[in-house]
Amino acid sequence: MKKLFQINFTQSNPPKLSPAERKQQIQANLEQEKQRGYTQLTELCRLGEIDAAKHLASRNSRWGYEIIDGVVFEKLEEET
């Protein structure tokens, strides 16, 4: 949270996003996070830190990746 003296009251507020624009922005952020996660996982596997990669993948299941034999794979969605 900003301190009161750090706020510029003469600066205009950013435009409000429509629900469709907000949904698109959220989707873009999630995709960017997923890509960064893939990069981290592949780097850990490359360094031989397979257990660390598996742990990171399980902690961040929203990325949708799993580690099998030291290789990063995208999880297939299971039918329920």
Coordinates of all heavy atoms in Angstrom, one line a residue:
M1 N 0.8 -1.2 0.0 CA 0.0 0.0 0.0 C 0.9 1.2 0.0 O 1.9 1.3 0.7 CB -0.9 0.0 1.2 CG -1.8 1.1 1.3 SD -3.0 0.9 2.6 CE -4.5 0.8 1.7
K2 N 0.5 2.2 -0.8 CA 1.3 3.4 -0.9 C 1.0 4.3 0.3 O -0.1 4.4 0.8 CB 1.0 4.2 -2.2 CG 1.5 3.5 -3.5 CD 1.2 4.4 -4.6 CE 1.8 3.8 -5.9 NZ 1.6 4.6 -7.1
K3 N 2.0 5.1 0.6 CA 1.9 6.1 1.6 C 1.2 7.3 1.0 O 1.3 7.5 -0.2 CB 3.2 6.6 2.2 CG 4.0 5.5 2.8 CD 3.5 5.1 4.2 CE 4.4 4.1 4.8 NZ 3.9 3.6 6.0
L4 N 0.5 8.1 1.7 CA -0.3 9.2 1.2 C 0.6 10.2 0.4 O 0.2 10.7 -0.6 CB -1.0 9.9 2.4 CG -2.0 11.0 2.0 CD1 -3.1 10.3 1.1 CD2 -2.7 11.5 3.2
F5 N 1.8 10.4 0.9 CA 2.7 11.4 0.2 C 3.2 10.8 -1.1 O 3.7 11.6 -2.0 CB 3.9 11.8 1.1 CG 4.9 10.7 1.4 CD1 5.9 10.5 0.5 CD2 4.8 9.9 2.5 CE1 6.9 9.5 0.7 CE2 5.7 9.0 2.7 CZ 6.7 8.7 1.9
Q6 N 3.1 9.5 -1.4 CA 3.5 8.9 -2.6 C 2.5 8.9 -3.7 O 2.7 8.7 -4.9 CB 3.9 7.4 -2.4 CG 5.1 7.3 -1.5 CD 5.3 5.8 -1.1 OE1 4.4 5.1 -0.9 NE2 6.6 5.4 -1.1
I7 N 1.2 9.3 -3.4 CA 0.1 9.3 -4.3 C 0.1 10.7 -5.0 O 0.1 11.7 -4.4 CB -1.2 9.0 -3.6 CG1 -1.1 7.6 -3.0 CG2 -2.4 9.1 -4.6 CD1 -2.3 7.3 -2.1
N8 N 0.0 10.6 -6.3 CA -0.1 11.8 -7.1 C -1.6 12.0 -7.5 O -2.1 11.3 -8.3 CB 0.7 11.7 -8.4 CG 0.7 13.0 -9.2 OD1 -0.1 13.9 -8.9 ND2 1.5 13.0 -10.3
F9 N -2.3 13.0 -6.8 CA -3.7 13.1 -7.0 C -4.0 13.9 -8.3 O -5.2 13.9 -8.7 CB -4.3 13.9 -5.8 CG -4.2 13.1 -4.6 CD1 -3.3 13.4 -3.6 CD2 -5.1 12.1 -4.4 CE1 -3.3 12.6 -2.4 CE2 -5.1 11.3 -3.2 CZ -4.2 11.6 -2.2
T10 N -3.0 14.5 -9.0 CA -3.3 15.1 -10.2 C -3.2 14.2 -11.4 O -3.7 14.5 -12.5 CB -2.3 16.3 -10.5 OG1 -1.0 15.7 -10.5 CG2 -2.4 17.3 -9.4
Q11 N -2.7 13.0 -11.2 CA -2.6 12.0 -12.3 C -3.9 11.3 -12.5 O -4.6 11.0 -11.5 CB -1.5 11.0 -11.9 CG -1.3 9.9 -12.9 CD -0.2 8.9 -12.4 OE1 0.0 8.8 -11.2 NE2 0.4 8.2 -13.3
S12 N -4.3 11.2 -13.8 CA -5.6 10.6 -14.0 C -5.5 9.1 -13.8 O -4.4 8.4 -13.9 CB -6.0 10.8 -15.5 OG -5.1 10.2 -16.4
N13 N -6.6 8.5 -13.4 CA -6.7 7.0 -13.2 C -6.7 6.3 -14.5 O -7.1 6.8 -15.5 CB -8.0 6.7 -12.4 CG -8.0 7.2 -11.0 OD1 -6.9 7.4 -10.4 ND2 -9.1 7.6 -10.5
P14 N -6.1 5.1 -14.5 CA -6.1 4.3 -15.7 C -7.5 4.0 -16.1 O -8.4 3.9 -15.3 CB -5.3 3.0 -15.4 CG -5.3 3.0 -13.9 CD -5.5 4.4 -13.4
P15 N -7.8 3.8 -17.4 CA -9.1 3.5 -17.9 C -9.6 2.2 -17.3 O -8.8 1.2 -17.2 CB -9.0 3.5 -19.4 CG -7.6 3.2 -19.7 CD -6.8 3.8 -18.5
K16 N -10.9 2.1 -17.0 CA -11.5 0.8 -16.5 C -11.6 -0.1 -17.7 O -12.0 0.3 -18.8 CB -12.8 1.1 -15.8 CG -12.6 2.0 -14.6 CD -13.7 1.8 -13.6 CE -13.5 2.7 -12.5 NZ -13.7 2.1 -11.2
L17 N -11.3 -1.4 -17.4 CA -11.4 -2.4 -18.5 C -12.9 -3.0 -18.5 O -13.5 -3.1 -17.4 CB -10.4 -3.5 -18.2 CG -9.0 -3.1 -18.2 CD1 -8.1 -4.3 -17.8 CD2 -8.6 -2.6 -19.6
S18 N -13.3 -3.3 -19.7 CA -14.6 -4.0 -19.8 C -14.4 -5.4 -19.3 O -13.3 -5.9 -19.2 CB -15.1 -4.0 -21.2 OG -14.3 -4.9 -22.0
P19 N -15.5 -6.1 -18.9 CA -15.3 -7.5 -18.5 C -14.6 -8.4 -19.5 O -13.8 -9.2 -19.1 CB -16.8 -8.0 -18.3 CG -17.5 -6.7 -18.0 CD -16.9 -5.6 -18.8
A20 N -14.8 -8.2 -20.8 CA -14.2 -9.0 -21.8 C -12.7 -8.6 -21.8 O -11.8 -9.5 -22.0 CB -14.8 -8.7 -23.2
E21 N -12.3 -7.4 -21.7 CA -10.9 -7.0 -21.7 C -10.2 -7.5 -20.4 O -9.1 -7.9 -20.5 CB -10.8 -5.4 -21.7 CG -11.2 -4.8 -23.1 CD -11.2 -3.3 -23.0 OE1 -11.7 -2.8 -22.0 OE2 -10.8 -2.7 -24.0
R22 N -10.9 -7.4 -19.3 CA -10.4 -7.9 -18.0 C -10.1 -9.4 -18.1 O -9.1 -9.9 -17.8 CB -11.3 -7.7 -16.9 CG -10.7 -8.0 -15.5 CD -11.6 -7.6 -14.4 NE -11.8 -6.2 -14.3 CZ -12.9 -5.6 -14.4 NH1 -14.1 -6.2 -14.5 NH2 -13.0 -4.2 -14.3
K23 N -11.1 -10.2 -18.7 CA -10.9 -11.6 -18.9 C -9.7 -11.9 -19.8 O -8.9 -12.8 -19.6 CB -12.2 -12.2 -19.5 CG -12.1 -13.7 -19.6 CD -13.5 -14.3 -20.1 CE -13.4 -15.8 -20.2 NZ -14.7 -16.3 -20.7
Q24 N -9.6 -11.1 -20.9 CA -8.4 -11.3 -21.8 C -7.1 -11.0 -21.1 O -6.1 -11.7 -21.3 CB -8.6 -10.4 -23.0 CG -7.6 -10.6 -24.1 CD -7.9 -9.7 -25.3 OE1 -8.6 -8.7 -25.2 NE2 -7.3 -10.0 -26.4
Q25 N -7.1 -10.0 -20.3 CA -5.9 -9.6 -19.5 C -5.5 -10.7 -18.5 O -4.3 -11.1 -18.4 CB -6.1 -8.3 -18.8 CG -4.8 -7.8 -18.0 CD -3.7 -7.5 -18.9 OE1 -3.9 -6.9 -20.0 NE2 -2.5 -7.8 -18.5
I26 N -6.5 -11.3 -17.9 CA -6.2 -12.4 -16.9 C -5.7 -13.6 -17.6 O -4.7 -14.2 -17.2 CB -7.5 -12.7 -16.1 CG1 -7.8 -11.6 -15.1 CG2 -7.4 -14.0 -15.4 CD1 -9.2 -11.7 -14.5
Q27 N -6.3 -13.9 -18.8 CA -5.8 -15.0 -19.6 C -4.4 -14.8 -20.0 O -3.6 -15.8 -20.0 CB -6.8 -15.3 -20.8 CG -6.5 -16.5 -21.5 CD -6.7 -17.8 -20.7 OE1 -7.6 -17.8 -19.9 NE2 -5.9 -18.8 -20.9
A28 N -4.1 -13.6 -20.5 CA -2.7 -13.3 -20.9 C -1.7 -13.5 -19.8 O -0.6 -14.0 -19.9 CB -2.6 -11.9 -21.5
N29 N -2.1 -13.0 -18.6 CA -1.2 -13.1 -17.4 C -1.0 -14.6 -17.0 O 0.1 -15.0 -16.7 CB -1.8 -12.4 -16.2 CG -1.8 -10.9 -16.4 OD1 -1.0 -10.4 -17.2 ND2 -2.5 -10.2 -15.6
L30 N -2.1 -15.4 -17.1 CA -1.9 -16.8 -16.8 C -1.0 -17.5 -17.8 O -0.2 -18.4 -17.4 CB -3.3 -17.5 -16.7 CG -4.2 -17.1 -15.6 CD1 -5.6 -17.7 -15.8 CD2 -3.6 -17.5 -14.3
E31 N -1.2 -17.2 -19.0 CA -0.3 -17.8 -20.1 C 1.1 -17.4 -19.9 O 2.0 -18.3 -20.0 CB -0.8 -17.4 -21.5 CG -0.3 -18.2 -22.6 CD -0.6 -19.6 -22.5 OE1 -1.7 -20.0 -22.1 OE2 0.3 -20.5 -22.8
Q32 N 1.4 -16.2 -19.5 CA 2.7 -15.7 -19.3 C 3.3 -16.4 -18.1 O 4.5 -16.9 -18.1 CB 2.7 -14.2 -19.0 CG 4.1 -13.6 -19.0 CD 4.0 -12.1 -18.8 OE1 3.1 -11.5 -18.2 NE2 5.0 -11.4 -19.4
E33 N 2.5 -16.6 -17.0 CA 3.0 -17.3 -15.8 C 3.3 -18.8 -16.2 O 4.3 -19.4 -15.7 CB 1.9 -17.3 -14.7 CG 2.3 -18.0 -13.5 CD 1.2 -18.0 -12.4 OE1 0.2 -17.3 -12.6 OE2 1.3 -18.8 -11.5
K34 N 2.4 -19.4 -17.0 CA 2.7 -20.8 -17.4 C 4.0 -20.9 -18.2 O 4.7 -21.9 -18.0 CB 1.5 -21.3 -18.2 CG 1.5 -22.7 -18.7 CD 0.3 -23.1 -19.4 CE 0.4 -24.5 -19.9 NZ -0.7 -25.0 -20.7
Q35 N 4.2 -20.0 -19.1 CA 5.5 -20.0 -19.8 C 6.7 -19.9 -19.0 O 7.7 -20.5 -19.1 CB 5.5 -18.9 -20.9 CG 6.7 -18.9 -21.8 CD 6.8 -20.3 -22.6 OE1 5.9 -20.8 -23.0 NE2 8.0 -20.7 -22.7
R36 N 6.6 -18.9 -18.0 CA 7.7 -18.8 -17.0 C 7.9 -20.1 -16.2 O 9.1 -20.5 -16.0 CB 7.5 -17.6 -16.1 CG 7.8 -16.3 -16.7 CD 7.9 -15.2 -15.7 NE 6.7 -15.1 -14.9 CZ 5.7 -14.2 -15.0 NH1 5.7 -13.3 -16.0 NH2 4.6 -14.2 -14.2
G37 N 6.8 -20.7 -15.8 CA 6.9 -22.0 -15.1 C 7.6 -23.0 -15.9 O 8.5 -23.8 -15.4
Y38 N 7.2 -23.1 -17.2 CA 7.9 -24.1 -18.1 C 9.4 -23.9 -18.2 O 10.2 -24.8 -18.1 CB 7.2 -24.0 -19.5 CG 7.9 -25.0 -20.5 CD1 7.5 -26.3 -20.5 CD2 8.8 -24.6 -21.4 CE1 8.1 -27.2 -21.3 CE2 9.4 -25.4 -22.2 CZ 9.0 -26.8 -22.2 OH 9.6 -27.6 -23.1
T39 N 9.8 -22.6 -18.3 CA 11.2 -22.3 -18.4 C 11.9 -22.7 -17.1 O 13.0 -23.3 -17.2 CB 11.4 -20.8 -18.6 OG1 10.7 -20.4 -19.8 CG2 12.8 -20.4 -18.7
Q40 N 11.3 -22.4 -15.9 CA 11.9 -22.8 -14.7 C 12.0 -24.4 -14.6 O 13.1 -24.9 -14.1 CB 11.1 -22.3 -13.5 CG 11.2 -20.8 -13.3 CD 10.2 -20.3 -12.2 OE1 9.6 -21.1 -11.5 NE2 10.1 -19.0 -12.1
L41 N 11.0 -25.1 -14.9 CA 11.0 -26.5 -14.8 C 12.0 -27.1 -15.8 O 12.8 -28.0 -15.4 CB 9.6 -27.1 -15.2 CG 8.5 -26.7 -14.1 CD1 7.2 -27.2 -14.7 CD2 8.8 -27.4 -12.8
T42 N 12.1 -26.6 -17.0 CA 13.1 -27.2 -17.9 C 14.5 -26.9 -17.5 O 15.4 -27.7 -17.6 CB 12.9 -26.7 -19.4 OG1 12.9 -25.3 -19.4 CG2 11.6 -27.2 -20.0
E43 N 14.7 -25.8 -16.9 CA 16.1 -25.4 -16.4 C 16.4 -26.3 -15.2 O 17.6 -26.8 -15.1 CB 16.1 -23.9 -16.0 CG 17.5 -23.5 -15.5 CD 18.5 -23.5 -16.7 OE1 18.2 -23.6 -17.8 OE2 19.7 -23.4 -16.3
L44 N 15.5 -26.6 -14.3 CA 15.8 -27.5 -13.2 C 16.1 -28.9 -13.7 O 17.1 -29.5 -13.2 CB 14.6 -27.5 -12.2 CG 14.5 -26.3 -11.3 CD1 13.1 -26.4 -10.6 CD2 15.6 -26.2 -10.3
C45 N 15.4 -29.4 -14.7 CA 15.6 -30.7 -15.3 C 17.0 -30.7 -16.0 O 17.7 -31.7 -15.8 CB 14.5 -31.1 -16.2 SG 13.0 -31.5 -15.4
R46 N 17.3 -29.6 -16.7 CA 18.6 -29.6 -17.4 C 19.8 -29.6 -16.4 O 20.8 -30.3 -16.6 CB 18.7 -28.3 -18.2 CG 19.9 -28.2 -19.1 CD 20.0 -26.8 -19.7 NE 20.3 -25.8 -18.8 CZ 21.6 -25.5 -18.4 NH1 22.6 -26.3 -18.7 NH2 21.8 -24.5 -17.6
L47 N 19.6 -29.1 -15.2 CA 20.6 -29.1 -14.2 C 20.6 -30.4 -13.4 O 21.5 -30.5 -12.5 CB 20.4 -27.9 -13.2 CG 20.6 -26.5 -13.8 CD1 20.1 -25.4 -12.9 CD2 22.0 -26.3 -14.3
G48 N 19.7 -31.2 -13.6 CA 19.6 -32.5 -12.9 C 18.8 -32.5 -11.6 O 18.9 -33.4 -10.8
E49 N 18.2 -31.4 -11.4 CA 17.4 -31.2 -10.2 C 15.9 -31.7 -10.4 O 15.0 -30.9 -10.3 CB 17.4 -29.7 -9.7 CG 18.7 -29.2 -9.4 CD 19.3 -29.8 -8.1 OE1 18.5 -30.4 -7.3 OE2 20.5 -29.8 -7.9
I50 N 15.8 -33.0 -10.7 CA 14.5 -33.6 -11.0 C 13.5 -33.5 -9.9 O 12.4 -33.1 -10.1 CB 14.7 -35.0 -11.5 CG1 15.8 -35.1 -12.6 CG2 13.4 -35.6 -12.0 CD1 15.6 -34.3 -13.8
D51 N 14.0 -33.8 -8.7 CA 13.1 -33.8 -7.5 C 12.6 -32.4 -7.3 O 11.4 -32.2 -7.0 CB 13.8 -34.3 -6.3 CG 14.0 -35.8 -6.3 OD1 13.2 -36.5 -7.1 OD2 14.9 -36.3 -5.6
A52 N 13.4 -31.4 -7.4 CA 13.0 -30.0 -7.3 C 12.0 -29.6 -8.3 O 11.0 -28.9 -8.0 CB 14.3 -29.1 -7.3
A53 N 12.2 -30.0 -9.6 CA 11.3 -29.7 -10.6 C 9.9 -30.4 -10.4 O 8.9 -29.8 -10.6 CB 11.9 -30.2 -12.0
K54 N 9.9 -31.6 -9.9 CA 8.7 -32.3 -9.6 C 8.0 -31.6 -8.5 O 6.7 -31.4 -8.5 CB 9.0 -33.8 -9.2 CG 9.3 -34.7 -10.3 CD 9.6 -36.1 -9.8 CE 9.9 -37.0 -11.0 NZ 10.1 -38.4 -10.5
H55 N 8.7 -31.2 -7.5 CA 8.1 -30.4 -6.4 C 7.5 -29.1 -6.8 O 6.4 -28.8 -6.5 CB 9.2 -30.2 -5.3 CG 8.6 -29.5 -4.1 ND1 7.8 -30.1 -3.2 CD2 8.8 -28.2 -3.6 CE1 7.5 -29.2 -2.2 NE2 8.1 -28.1 -2.5
L56 N 8.2 -28.4 -7.7 CA 7.8 -27.1 -8.2 C 6.5 -27.3 -9.1 O 5.5 -26.6 -9.0 CB 8.9 -26.4 -9.0 CG 8.5 -25.0 -9.5 CD1 8.2 -24.1 -8.4 CD2 9.7 -24.5 -10.4
A57 N 6.5 -28.3 -9.9 CA 5.4 -28.6 -10.8 C 4.2 -29.0 -9.9 O 3.0 -28.6 -10.3 CB 5.7 -29.8 -11.7
S58 N 4.3 -29.7 -8.9 CA 3.2 -30.1 -8.0 C 2.7 -28.9 -7.2 O 1.4 -28.8 -7.0 CB 3.5 -31.3 -7.1 OG 4.5 -30.9 -6.1
R59 N 3.5 -28.1 -6.8 CA 3.1 -26.9 -6.1 C 2.4 -25.9 -7.0 O 1.6 -25.1 -6.5 CB 4.3 -26.1 -5.5 CG 4.8 -26.7 -4.2 CD 5.8 -25.9 -3.4 NE 5.9 -24.5 -3.7 CZ 7.0 -23.9 -4.0 NH1 8.2 -24.5 -4.0 NH2 7.0 -22.6 -4.3
N60 N 2.7 -25.9 -8.3 CA 2.0 -25.0 -9.2 C 1.3 -25.8 -10.3 O 1.5 -25.7 -11.5 CB 3.1 -24.2 -9.9 CG 3.8 -23.3 -8.9 OD1 3.2 -22.3 -8.5 ND2 5.0 -23.6 -8.5
S61 N 0.3 -26.6 -9.8 CA -0.4 -27.5 -10.7 C -1.2 -26.7 -11.8 O -1.5 -27.2 -12.8 CB -1.4 -28.4 -9.9 OG -2.3 -27.6 -9.2
R62 N -1.5 -25.4 -11.5 CA -2.2 -24.6 -12.5 C -1.5 -24.4 -13.8 O -2.0 -24.0 -14.8 CB -2.6 -23.2 -11.9 CG -1.4 -22.3 -11.6 CD -1.8 -21.1 -10.8 NE -0.7 -20.4 -10.3 CZ 0.1 -20.6 -9.3 NH1 -0.1 -21.7 -8.6 NH2 1.1 -19.9 -9.0
W63 N -0.1 -24.6 -13.7 CA 0.7 -24.5 -14.9 C 0.3 -25.7 -15.9 O 0.5 -25.5 -17.1 CB 2.2 -24.6 -14.6 CG 2.7 -23.4 -13.9 CD1 2.1 -22.2 -13.7 CD2 4.0 -23.3 -13.2 NE1 2.9 -21.4 -12.9 CE2 4.1 -22.1 -12.6 CE3 5.0 -24.2 -13.0 CZ2 5.2 -21.6 -11.9 CZ3 6.1 -23.8 -12.3 CH2 6.2 -22.5 -11.8
G64 N 0.0 -26.8 -15.3 CA -0.4 -27.9 -16.1 C 0.7 -28.8 -16.7 O 0.6 -29.4 -17.7
Y65 N 1.8 -28.8 -15.9 CA 3.0 -29.6 -16.3 C 3.3 -30.7 -15.3 O 3.0 -30.6 -14.1 CB 4.3 -28.7 -16.4 CG 4.1 -27.6 -17.5 CD1 4.2 -26.3 -17.1 CD2 4.0 -28.0 -18.8 CE1 4.1 -25.3 -18.1 CE2 3.9 -27.0 -19.8 CZ 3.9 -25.6 -19.4 OH 3.8 -24.7 -20.3
E66 N 3.9 -31.8 -15.8 CA 4.4 -32.8 -14.9 C 5.8 -33.2 -15.4 O 6.1 -33.0 -16.6 CB 3.5 -34.0 -14.9 CG 3.2 -34.7 -16.3 CD 2.2 -35.8 -16.2 OE1 2.0 -36.4 -15.1 OE2 1.6 -36.1 -17.2
I67 N 6.6 -33.8 -14.6 CA 7.9 -34.2 -14.9 C 8.0 -35.8 -14.9 O 7.6 -36.4 -14.0 CB 8.9 -33.8 -13.8 CG1 8.8 -32.3 -13.5 CG2 10.4 -34.1 -14.2 CD1 8.9 -31.3 -14.6
I68 N 8.4 -36.3 -16.1 CA 8.5 -37.7 -16.3 C 9.9 -38.0 -16.8 O 10.2 -37.5 -17.9 CB 7.4 -38.3 -17.2 CG1 6.0 -37.9 -16.7 CG2 7.6 -39.8 -17.5 CD1 4.9 -38.2 -17.7
D69 N 10.6 -38.8 -16.1 CA 12.0 -39.2 -16.5 C 12.9 -37.9 -16.8 O 13.6 -37.9 -17.7 CB 12.0 -40.1 -17.6 CG 11.4 -41.5 -17.3 OD1 11.5 -41.9 -16.1 OD2 10.8 -42.1 -18.2
G70 N 12.7 -36.9 -16.0 CA 13.5 -35.7 -16.2 C 13.1 -34.8 -17.4 O 13.9 -33.9 -17.8
V71 N 11.9 -35.0 -17.9 CA 11.4 -34.2 -19.0 C 10.1 -33.6 -18.7 O 9.3 -34.2 -18.0 CB 11.3 -35.1 -20.3 CG1 10.8 -34.3 -21.5 CG2 12.6 -35.8 -20.7
V72 N 9.9 -32.3 -19.1 CA 8.7 -31.6 -18.8 C 7.6 -32.0 -19.8 O 7.9 -31.8 -21.0 CB 8.9 -30.1 -18.7 CG1 7.7 -29.3 -18.4 CG2 10.0 -29.7 -17.8
F73 N 6.5 -32.4 -19.3 CA 5.4 -32.7 -20.2 C 4.2 -31.9 -19.8 O 4.0 -31.7 -18.6 CB 5.0 -34.2 -20.2 CG 6.0 -35.1 -20.8 CD1 7.0 -35.7 -20.1 CD2 6.0 -35.3 -22.2 CE1 7.9 -36.6 -20.7 CE2 6.9 -36.1 -22.8 CZ 7.9 -36.8 -22.1
E74 N 3.3 -31.6 -20.8 CA 2.1 -30.9 -20.4 C 1.1 -32.0 -20.0 O 1.0 -33.1 -20.7 CB 1.5 -30.2 -21.6 CG 0.4 -29.2 -21.3 CD 0.2 -28.2 -22.3 OE1 0.9 -28.2 -23.3 OE2 -0.7 -27.3 -22.1
K75 N 0.4 -31.8 -18.9 CA -0.5 -32.8 -18.4 C -1.7 -32.9 -19.4 O -2.2 -31.9 -19.8 CB -1.1 -32.4 -17.0 CG -0.1 -32.6 -15.9 CD -0.8 -32.3 -14.6 CE 0.1 -32.4 -13.4 NZ -0.5 -32.0 -12.2
L76 N -2.1 -34.1 -19.6 CA -3.4 -34.3 -20.3 C -4.5 -34.2 -19.4 O -4.5 -34.8 -18.3 CB -3.3 -35.7 -21.0 CG -2.2 -35.9 -22.1 CD1 -2.3 -37.3 -22.6 CD2 -2.4 -34.8 -23.2
E77 N -5.6 -33.6 -19.8 CA -6.7 -33.5 -18.9 C -7.4 -34.8 -18.9 O -7.7 -35.4 -19.9 CB -7.7 -32.4 -19.4 CG -7.1 -31.0 -19.2 CD -8.1 -29.9 -19.5 OE1 -9.3 -30.2 -19.3 OE2 -7.7 -28.8 -19.9
E78 N -7.7 -35.3 -17.7 CA -8.3 -36.5 -17.5 C -9.9 -36.4 -17.6 O -10.4 -35.4 -17.1 CB -8.0 -37.1 -16.1 CG -6.5 -37.4 -16.0 CD -6.2 -38.0 -14.6 OE1 -7.2 -38.3 -13.8 OE2 -5.0 -38.0 -14.2
E79 N -10.5 -37.3 -18.2 CA -11.9 -37.3 -18.3 C -12.5 -37.8 -17.0 O -12.1 -38.7 -16.5 CB -12.4 -38.2 -19.5 CG -12.0 -37.6 -20.8 CD -12.5 -38.5 -21.9 OE1 -13.5 -39.2 -21.8 OE2 -11.9 -38.5 -23.0
T80 N -13.6 -37.1 -16.5 CA -14.2 -37.5 -15.3 C -15.6 -37.9 -15.5 O -16.2 -37.7 -16.4 CB -14.2 -36.4 -14.2 OG1 -14.8 -35.2 -14.8 CG2 -12.8 -36.1 -13.8

